[in-house]
Structures are given as C-alpha cells and as structure tokens.
Amino acid sequence: MVATFGITLLFAANPAFAQESTGSVGFNPQEWLRNALQWIDSLGTVGAIAFILLYIIATVAFLPGSILTLGAGVVFGVVWGALYVFIGATLGATAAFLVGRYLARGWVAKKIEGNKKFRAIDQGVGREGLKIVLLTRLSPIFPFNLLNYAYGVTGVSLKDYVIGSVGMIPGTIMYVYIGSLAGNLATIGTDAQPANPAVQWTIRIIGFIATVAVTLYVTKIARQALENEVLEPENERFDLN
C-alpha cells in the first residue's frame, strides 16, 4: 500500500518540493523564507552561516525547507548551495532527532512496552537503522521534517541516523540545480519557476526505486523481528536445561 501510494505521488506530483500557496491569510512561511533569502543574499560572505542557521531553525520548526533548498541554487549556485543545504539539513535533522528521542522516546517506550509486535518492529528497525534511514532519505515521498522526529522515537542509533543523511545528497543537488534555473528568488516554489524535465524525471525514478526498496525492506525486517519475538518465548518454554 505504501509503495502504491508512493509511486502515484511521485509520478503525479510536481517534484519542486513546495508550491506557492494561494489565498492564504496571516503568516505565510514560504513568503517569509523568501524574504529571509533576500536578506541572506545581501549579507555577502557571512550569508552562508546565516543560511545554515536558518535551515536548522526551519527544519526543527517544520517550516518548508524546500523553499530554502531551491533558493540556495539562486543565492549560492549549485555547488556551494548544495553543500550549505546538506550541512543545514543534516544539523537540523539531527537536532529534531534529539528532540524526538529525549522528549518523546520515553513516552513511546512505555506505550509499546506491553505490545510484543510494536516492540519487535522497533527493535528490528533499530538493528537495520542505517539502511532504512538511507533509503528513506533517497525517497522524496517521506516528509523530511516529520521523519526527523519520527526516527527519534525508534531504536535507530544517532550514528546510523547521521550517516544515513548522505542519502539526501542526490536529491539536494538536483533540487538546488532546479532552483538555480530560476535566477530570481521571487519565482522560487511558484508555477513560474523554470524546470528541467530530465532532472525532474531523474528525481522521480530515484524516488520510485527508493520507495519500493524501503517498503519491501522494512516489511522484511519487521516480519523477521516478529518471528523472533514469537520463537524466543517458545524456545524458553521447551528448554529443559
């Protein structure tokens, strides 16, 4: 079901992460971030530090980082823009992970303590954390900001989580490149933003492969973890030693 949904979303949706919201009233995060990018563009050499700090804040605060990713291509170019996005996204994702782990992990652990199925799945995901994080980072259908907090309440180690962030690199480079085509921050994230069809389809294909892979892989390790959870009590019961 997840794979089917992901495939549909990947090929039906516009791969430019976020679109301009129309008719919104009050605080518009996309517009606010665009204004912040304009300010960062005027800072010169210190703009890179300000951008990374802004990306960290946006990630923790659930603001649409796609605007920043696309905007980095305009402000810094493809190479430096991709580097700054990766640093900001990794640090921001790590901060959100730690918040999820130390503020919510205890509560979740208590909830699943008496449920063998949930406990087994949690342990299974924890053992294969690096591969799962890597695959989900390659797939654009998994919401980046939410996923950061979600991993915090699983058994995934911080080390595997951080290393798995390298899965963001292909998508980061491609989206920063798409942003660089705009040449103007005002068009970032809007229908007026130019795009490269070849890059868009590359993103979709990579996302499709990663989505199917992570779905099958998580299903496999969850099944194995459940089988082990069931077999261990039986082995203890018949152990005559």
Side-chain angles (χ1 to χ4, degrees):
M1 290 175 63
V2 173
T4 302
F5 173 76
I7 294 167
T8 303
L9 184 62
L10 282 169
F11 287 91
N14 189 324
F17 295 11
Q19 295 300 310
E20 178 71 13
S21 59
T22 57
S24 58
V25 179
F27 177 66
N28 186 331
Q30 295 173 330
E31 188 62 32
W32 184 82
L33 289 173
R34 263 193 292 268
N35 292 335
L37 284 169
Q38 295 278 9
W39 172 70
I40 288 172
D41 195 21
S42 68
L43 294 179
T45 54
V46 298
I49 298 175
F51 176 83
I52 291 172
L53 292 175
L54 178 62
Y55 211 109
I56 295 172
I57 294 171
T59 301
V60 175
F62 275 84
L63 296 178
S66 56
I67 297 296
L68 296 178
T69 303
L70 295 166
V74 178
V75 178
F76 303 109
V78 177
V79 177
W80 289 108
L83 177 62
Y84 298 150
V85 167
F86 178 71
I87 294 173
T90 301
L91 293 177
T94 302
F97 175 88
L98 293 174
V99 170
R101 170 139 302 180
Y102 293 107
L103 294 183
R105 174 63 186 170
W107 179 82
V108 173
K110 289 181 180 179
K111 291 295 182 181
I112 69 175
E113 186 176 7
N115 191 310
K116 292 184 178 181
K117 290 183 179 180
F118 283 122
R119 187 171 68 248
I121 292 172
D122 184 35
Q123 292 172 353
V125 171
R127 285 195 297 268
E128 303 292 340
L130 177 57
K131 295 177 183 178
I132 294 173
V133 174
L134 187 63
L135 288 171
T136 52
R137 290 310 192 194
L138 283 169
S139 174
I141 77 158
F142 295 96
F144 175 70
N145 290 340
L146 180 60
L147 201 61
N148 298 329
Y149 286 96
Y151 274 125
V153 298
T154 68
V156 175
S157 69
L158 177 61
K159 176 184 176 181
D160 287 345
Y161 177 78
V162 173
I163 295 176
S165 296
V166 300
M168 295 187 292
I169 293 177
T172 295
I173 294 174
M174 286 186 284
Y175 281 114
V176 171
Y177 169 70
I178 290 175
S180 71
L181 297 177
N184 187 343
L185 289 171
T187 63
I188 291 295
T190 67
D191 292 334
Q193 178 183 319
N196 186 320
V199 174
Q200 291 180 342
W201 277 103
T202 301
I203 293 172
R204 287 180 172 132
I205 292 171
I206 292 175
F208 164 74
I209 295 172
T211 301
V212 173
V214 73
T215 303
L216 296 176
Y217 191 68
V218 171
T219 301
K220 176 184 176 182
I221 66 168
R223 184 185 298 113
Q224 291 176 343
L226 285 170
E227 290 174 353
N228 293 336
E229 187 75 19
V230 172
L231 289 175
E232 285 177 4
E234 291 182 354
N235 291 337
E236 293 175 0
R237 187 189 313 161
F238 293 103
D239 187 0
L240 299 179
N241 295 325

